[in-house]
Amino acid sequence: MATIVSNSIAGTASTLRRLYFVRFGFAIVWALVMFTTASKLGPLAVTLLVLYPLFDVAAAVIDARASRTTGSPVLLYVNIVVSLLTAAGVAIACASGIPAVLRVWGAWAVVAGLVQLIVGVTRRTMGGQWPMIISGAISVLAGSSFIIGASAENPTLTNAAGYAIPGGVFFLISAIRLSRAAKER
C-alpha cells in the first residue's frame, strides 16, 4: 500500500513539476509583453488580461487531473470556476477602464491566492510546496493592493504585469524542489 501511495505522489509530483515549468515560462513571457502595453487598454492588453486567467484554468485542469490520486481536487475546481469568471469579468471590465480591471484582477488574485495557499498546505508532504504557499500569500496581498490601487489618480496595469513575475519565479522554485519527489517514480 505504501508503494502505491508513493508512486501516486511521485506521478503527481512529476506532472506538477512539468506544469510548474510551463507556468514559469508563460508568466515571464506574459509579463514582458504586458509591460509593453500596460499604460492603456488596447487590444493587446485586453487579450493578455483575458488570456492570463484562461491559462490558469488550463493549468488548474491539468493539476486537478494529476491530483486525483493524491487527494481531493475540489479547491482546484473552485479555482477553475473563479478563473473562468475572472476572464469574463476582465473582458467586461475592460470596457469601463483600468480601475474596473484592477478591481476584478485584484479580487481574482485574492481568491486564487487563497486557493493556492490552501492547496500548497495540503500538499506539504509531497515536497516543493513552500514556494506555492508563499506565492499564495503574496497573491492575496497583491490582490488587495490592486483593489486599493484602482482608486489611485492615474492607475496603470504595470503592477498587474509585475504580479506575474514573482508568481512565475515561485513556480520555477517549486518545480525544481519537486525534482526529488518526481524521481521517486
Side-chain angles (χ1 to χ4, degrees):
M1 184 67 159
T3 303
I4 293 171
V5 171
S6 178
N7 286 341
S8 293
I9 290 173
T12 301
S14 179
T15 300
L16 291 178
R17 183 173 182 266
R18 286 189 304 273
L19 177 62
Y20 290 176
F21 277 127
V22 169
R23 291 193 76 165
F24 162 73
F26 176 82
I28 299 303
V29 170
W30 183 91
L32 292 175
V33 175
M34 188 66 195
F35 274 127
T36 67
T37 186
S39 63
K40 59 183 175 24
L41 277 174
L44 179 59
V46 171
T47 301
L48 290 170
L49 288 165
V50 172
L51 181 62
Y52 199 94
L54 290 177
F55 183 83
D56 195 54
V57 169
V61 167
I62 293 167
D63 193 334
R65 286 183 180 160
S67 300
R68 285 187 200 147
T69 59
T70 58
S72 173
V74 170
L75 284 174
L76 295 169
Y77 296 139
V78 169
N79 193 52
I80 290 167
V81 170
V82 168
S83 292
L84 281 171
L85 291 171
T86 299
V90 165
I92 293 166
C94 284
S96 297
I98 291 175
V101 171
L102 288 173
R103 287 182 188 98
V104 173
W105 194 266
W108 173 57
V110 168
V111 174
L114 285 172
V115 168
Q116 184 179 17
L117 190 151
I118 294 167
V119 169
V121 167
T122 63
R123 291 179 173 166
R124 277 187 336 272
T125 58
M126 182 185 308
Q129 294 305 301
W130 280 108
M132 295 296 89
I133 293 167
I134 295 166
S135 179
I138 291 171
S139 185
V140 171
L141 296 174
S144 301
S145 76
F146 298 148
I147 294 167
I148 293 167
S151 300
E153 179 115 0
N154 291 314
T156 70
L157 299 169
T158 305
N159 288 343
Y163 164 74
I165 293 172
V169 170
F170 281 116
F171 276 114
L172 176 63
I173 294 167
S174 191
I176 292 167
R177 293 185 54 102
L178 278 169
S179 295
R180 184 175 39 159
K183 287 179 184 176
E184 293 173 6
R185 189 172 188 184

